[in-house]
Amino acid sequence: MRKYKIAALVGIIVMGTGSFMACLCTAKAPVMIGNVLLIISLFIMTYAFSSWQP
């Protein structure tokens, strides 16, 4: 159960970073990286929360 909790926490942190980059950056490359981080965080959190349900 511990690895799923850690994966959920990592997914939340990655989502926060990605949303910060996607919303506040003005250059095109950081915005695209933020969007990619958001998509990656969705996969991480889907994996974590499908096995561990708080």
Side-chain angles (χ1 to χ4, degrees):
M1 291 303 264
R2 183 169 170 86
K3 70 177 180 177
Y4 299 117
K5 290 180 185 180
I6 292 172
L9 181 62
V10 168
I12 291 170
I13 291 170
V14 170
M15 183 172 276
T17 305
S19 64
F20 182 79
M21 289 178 68
C23 291
L24 296 179
C25 291
T26 56
K28 195 171 187 176
V31 170
M32 195 61 116
I33 292 171
N35 289 335
V36 170
L37 285 176
L38 285 171
I39 293 169
I40 290 171
S41 71
L42 287 173
F43 288 119
I44 293 172
M45 290 188 353
T46 300
Y47 165 74
F49 285 119
S50 67
S51 300
W52 174 67
Q53 298 168 352

